Amino acid sequence: MREQRDEEHQFQWFRKISEAHIDAVLLLNPKRRVIAVNHQWKRLMKTQATLTGAPFDQWVADKDKEQVQAAFSKLSGGKSQQVSAQLVVAAHQVTVEITFVPITKGTDVTAVYTVVKYMSLETSKEGQMINRTGDDVLTELPNRRLFIERLEQSIEAAIQTEEQLAVLFVDIDRFKVINDTLGHVLGDLALTEITKRINECLCNSEFLGRMGGDEFILLIPQMDHLDEAFAVAESIRDVISLPLDIEGYEFTLTSSIGIAALPQNGTNAETLIKCADAAMYRAKANGAERIQLYSAEMNRGFNEWFQVENDLRKALEREEFELYYQPQFDTRTKALTGVEVLVRWHHPNNGLVPPAKFIPIAEETGLIVPIGEWILRQACKQKKRWIDEGYPEIPISVNLSLRQFMQKNIVERVAEIIDETGIPPHLLDLEITESVTIDLNRTLRILNELKQLGITISLDDFGTGYSSLQYLSIFPIDELKIDKSFIDGIGMSTNNEAIIPMIINLGHTLKLQVVAEGVETKEQLDFLMKHSCDVVQGYYYSKPLAESEYDSFVKRRHDR
């Protein structure tokens, strides 16, 4: 019992002083078994296990076991001992300097404070290279330089043994929003937690580094098949998307991951990293939160991404954007009940650029903020003109991007546009997506302040996010919009046909209007009417219309 109390006391003392230590530290008992370790030792061993009771000798290279044991045996004299040796970490031999400091009670050694200082790394066939000067300060991961060194050595080994390897480029989607809204301190804490999560997905042979910012890079040194790389990527994507709770702020992040493989995509470090990076950008361009394998045509796509970004920066001042209007209809009366504003880009050389091609780039680069503000202002101006000309006083819906919503002065900007254009606030409907739950407390405050302006709020793309049911009842919203992906499944997917009535019933229970997007067939309309969906929009009734087309459309309906 007394020995147990002594060991508990030693453990508490060890924990206080070891966690601030820059080196790996262990507390051993007189039989060279682990009592406790600090986080640097766990990092070296790539484990989160406590390791209590494990023999220290199991990590010592066979050739050095005898000299380590000899140094340990000299501790009975009460003096510290120091020895250079190699520890085995997975398949790698780490050259370290070990300092044993005896903790005594009378003449007895009761525990041994053991400091393990990195000296260099002898290489196994993969040739792992790690040292403190090459570690990223925030995440304690190897930096770009050390990752490239390790990758080059792994490539050499893989070519000799005719094995495959893969490089994964991991980017956190829209991470700048976190830094801009919650601050860099919380952003850093989020990156630290993400690093921990990724590490827990990996085995000892896999090598994770940080490229900088919110970008990580992973080496899978030995593979039998590319499916193994996809499995690792899926694990990383899944753990990153789990909700984060950082200092009381709850939010969810996603990631885009590019994969490049040796020998298919290149045989040197620079090429593989470039290919994985290009694949990651393609994943983002396809809507983010995706995994993409590199293909040769992506070099063209990679260049296109930056060309589109450059052209977008000039598009506003050149007045290349145009608003289109998608009418919305009551399912019971067939009356025109509203209109959603969409944006089209008329490129001077490339013609009409599809929104799917430029909106993700605008989101990622932050250009969506000035573009979105222009859309909101122009839509409000146009709506006020139509009201003055006697057009139906129906709401106009404008999408508010996550970047816009997270602006510190978003309520003030919306209020200014309402005052400037003279639009009646009750005729302005702002559409948000579930992504705004990135900071729940702020979201609730902003939504309530927007509602106080007299506008209405719609939750767009409902059912495609992570937080629908959790937050729906507390959001001050007026309308649910069922995502087009569900509507497309009518007549083809029994799952979709089961989910849609549930969404409609949920909306009605919460006294919300329910709108279905992307209605294109009579079968889809009949199904939605059968289940009492309130409003529909889509090609079945009308495609998105340019301003002049919308004028004619409304006049035709009025003349009937």
Side-chain angles (χ1 to χ4, degrees):
M1 193 69 163
R2 182 175 178 180
E3 289 179 357
Q4 184 178 356
R5 287 198 303 269
D6 288 344
E7 191 165 288
E8 288 175 356
H9 175 74
Q10 290 168 349
F11 174 76
Q12 295 298 328
W13 164 80
F14 172 84
R15 188 172 62 180
K16 288 180 180 179
I17 65 172
S18 69
E19 288 304 327
H21 210 294
I22 62 174
D23 295 309
V25 183
L26 308 89
L27 186 65
L28 305 178
N29 68 16
K31 296 181 179 179
R32 296 194 300 281
R33 289 186 175 272
V34 173
I35 298 173
V37 300
N38 73 347
H39 74 284
Q40 290 284 15
W41 176 263
K42 290 181 179 180
R43 177 174 172 268
L44 175 64
M45 294 295 115
K46 293 191 176 180
T47 181
Q48 294 301 311
T50 60
L51 304 174
T52 303
F56 180 73
D57 291 3
Q58 74 179 13
W59 295 295
V60 179
D62 289 342
K63 66 182 182 63
D64 292 325
K65 277 186 168 63
E66 186 175 337
Q67 65 167 334
V68 169
Q69 292 168 4
F72 201 90
S73 65
K74 295 178 182 178
L75 296 175
S76 57
K79 291 185 178 181
S80 300
Q81 300 293 321
Q82 196 170 76
V83 62
S84 293
Q86 289 182 345
L87 301 185
V88 178
V89 180
H92 315 294
Q93 293 191 353
V94 186
T95 301
V96 298
E97 183 180 81
I98 305 170
T99 302
F100 294 122
V101 181
I103 301 169
T104 59
K105 187 171 186 179
T107 59
D108 297 329
V109 175
T110 60
V112 179
Y113 189 81
T114 306
V115 180
V116 179
K117 183 184 292 291
Y118 306 137
M119 299 300 290
S120 66
L121 282 177
E122 298 296 325
T123 60
S124 65
K125 69 176 183 177
E126 289 88 4
Q128 183 178 15
M129 298 289 289
I130 304 178
N131 60 59
R132 275 193 308 280
T133 61
D135 283 350
D136 171 67
V137 174
L138 175 64
T139 63
E140 298 184 342
L141 292 175
N143 62 16
R144 180 187 183 97
R145 177 180 61 80
L146 286 184
F147 182 88
I148 291 174
E149 289 179 7
R150 171 70 187 278
L151 177 57
E152 289 172 342
Q153 293 164 353
S154 296
I155 289 171
E156 183 179 349
I159 291 174
Q160 291 175 355
T161 57
E162 298 184 348
E163 292 177 318
Q164 292 190 87
L165 65 75
V167 173
L168 277 60
F169 206 108
V170 182
D171 182 88
I172 310 302
D173 298 324
R174 296 182 292 273
F175 189 78
K176 189 176 185 296
V177 175
I178 298 293
N179 283 334
D180 289 347
T181 58
L182 302 185
H184 287 271
V185 172
L186 292 183
D188 287 350
L189 291 174
L191 285 176
T192 303
E193 174 61 23
I194 287 170
T195 301
K196 177 183 174 183
R197 291 182 180 185
I198 297 175
N199 268 321
E200 289 174 352
C201 293
L202 308 180
C203 65
N204 282 330
S205 63
E206 293 159 355
F207 189 82
L208 180 67
R210 185 184 181 206
M211 298 297 276
D214 58 351
E215 295 178 335
F216 299 85
I217 192 161
L218 175 68
L219 166 64
I220 303 177
Q222 297 171 318
M223 297 187 307
D224 293 324
H225 197 276
L226 261 176
D227 288 347
E228 298 172 34
F230 276 94
V232 173
E234 287 169 358
S235 297
I236 293 172
R237 179 192 60 189
D238 292 346
V239 298
I240 289 175
S241 68
L242 294 173
L244 285 160
D245 186 342
I246 306 294
E247 299 290 309
Y249 292 91
E250 295 182 10
F251 53 92
T252 301
L253 295 172
T254 60
S255 59
S256 298
I257 303 176
I259 302 174
L262 177 142
Q264 299 94 314
N265 305 135
T267 56
N268 62 69
E270 181 181 354
T271 299
L272 287 174
I273 292 173
K274 180 180 178 182
C275 290
D277 192 20
M280 180 273 292
Y281 271 99
R282 175 56 61 89
K284 281 189 177 295
N286 289 339
E289 200 181 358
R290 295 175 185 268
I291 299 167
Q292 180 70 57
L293 178 66
Y294 176 80
S295 63
E297 60 91 21
M298 285 182 188
N299 280 331
R300 180 172 58 85
F302 187 73
N303 293 330
E304 283 181 359
W305 172 287
F306 289 103
Q307 187 60 55
V308 170
E309 178 184 345
N310 289 333
D311 290 348
L312 268 177
R313 296 184 184 279
K314 306 168 186 173
L316 268 180
E317 61 185 63
R318 294 177 177 176
E319 299 181 344
E320 295 170 4
F321 292 114
E322 180 183 3
L323 298 188
Y324 275 60
Y325 304 88
Q326 176 117 59
Q328 299 171 327
F329 301 89
D330 187 293
T331 55
R332 295 175 296 276
T333 66
K334 307 299 187 292
L336 181 66
T337 60
V339 59
E340 180 180 358
V341 176
L342 305 171
V343 65
R344 297 292 184 263
W345 180 16
H346 294 280
H347 192 282
N349 299 320
N350 302 328
L352 193 64
V353 182
K357 187 169 184 178
F358 73 86
I359 293 295
I361 299 175
E363 285 272 12
E364 189 65 28
T365 59
L367 292 170
I368 195 67
V369 173
I371 293 172
E373 185 168 318
W374 177 86
I375 293 170
L376 179 59
R377 178 175 284 103
Q378 292 301 117
C380 290
K381 283 182 180 178
Q382 181 61 59
K383 183 62 186 176
K384 181 60 166 63
R385 284 198 295 269
W386 280 332
I387 293 171
D388 293 343
E389 293 171 10
Y391 281 60
E393 293 197 11
I394 55 175
I396 189 167
S397 299
V398 182
N399 287 277
L400 202 62
S401 73
L402 174 61
R403 289 264 191 171
Q404 284 178 280
F405 187 84
M406 299 308 285
Q407 291 179 97
K408 293 179 180 178
N409 62 341
I410 181 59
V411 177
E412 290 81 1
R413 299 302 298 143
V414 173
E416 287 172 10
I417 289 173
I418 290 173
D419 290 341
E420 175 189 323
T421 61
I423 184 175
H426 71 281
L427 295 183
L428 175 60
D429 175 65
L430 293 182
E431 296 187 5
I432 60 170
T433 65
E434 295 166 73
S435 62
V436 300
T437 59
I438 197 168
D439 178 356
L440 180 59
N441 292 330
R442 181 185 182 278
T443 295
L444 287 172
R445 177 175 59 81
I446 295 301
L447 289 179
N448 281 315
E449 290 178 5
L450 287 171
K451 289 283 290 180
Q452 289 171 13
L453 298 178
I455 68 176
T456 59
I457 305 289
S458 296
L459 186 59
D460 197 12
D461 299 337
F462 182 74
T464 60
Y466 294 99
S467 312
S468 304
L469 298 181
Q470 181 180 359
Y471 299 135
L472 184 58
S473 63
I474 60 175
F475 278 176
I477 61 175
D478 305 281
E479 184 176 85
L480 274 187
K481 300 194 75 173
I482 305 174
D483 187 68
K484 182 180 184 299
S485 61
F486 292 104
I487 308 304
D488 289 342
I490 294 175
M492 294 181 287
S493 169
T494 55
N495 287 338
N496 280 13
E497 291 181 356
I499 291 172
I500 291 171
M502 292 171 59
I503 295 176
I504 295 172
N505 290 334
L506 175 63
H508 288 166
T509 299
L510 296 172
K511 297 181 170 42
L512 304 176
Q513 178 168 270
V514 181
V515 180
E517 299 180 293
V519 178
E520 298 179 354
T521 67
K522 179 73 163 52
E523 181 182 15
Q524 292 170 347
L525 177 63
D526 289 344
F527 182 88
L528 293 164
M529 291 178 65
K530 176 183 175 181
H531 293 285
S532 302
C533 184
D534 302 303
V535 176
V536 296
Q537 67 180 72
Y539 275 67
Y540 181 76
Y541 277 116
S542 174
K543 67 177 183 177
L545 303 170
E547 181 183 327
S548 59
E549 293 173 323
Y550 183 76
D551 284 341
S552 300
F553 173 83
V554 173
K555 288 174 182 175
R556 285 198 306 270
R557 290 183 64 86
H558 184 266
D559 293 339
R560 288 178 183 176

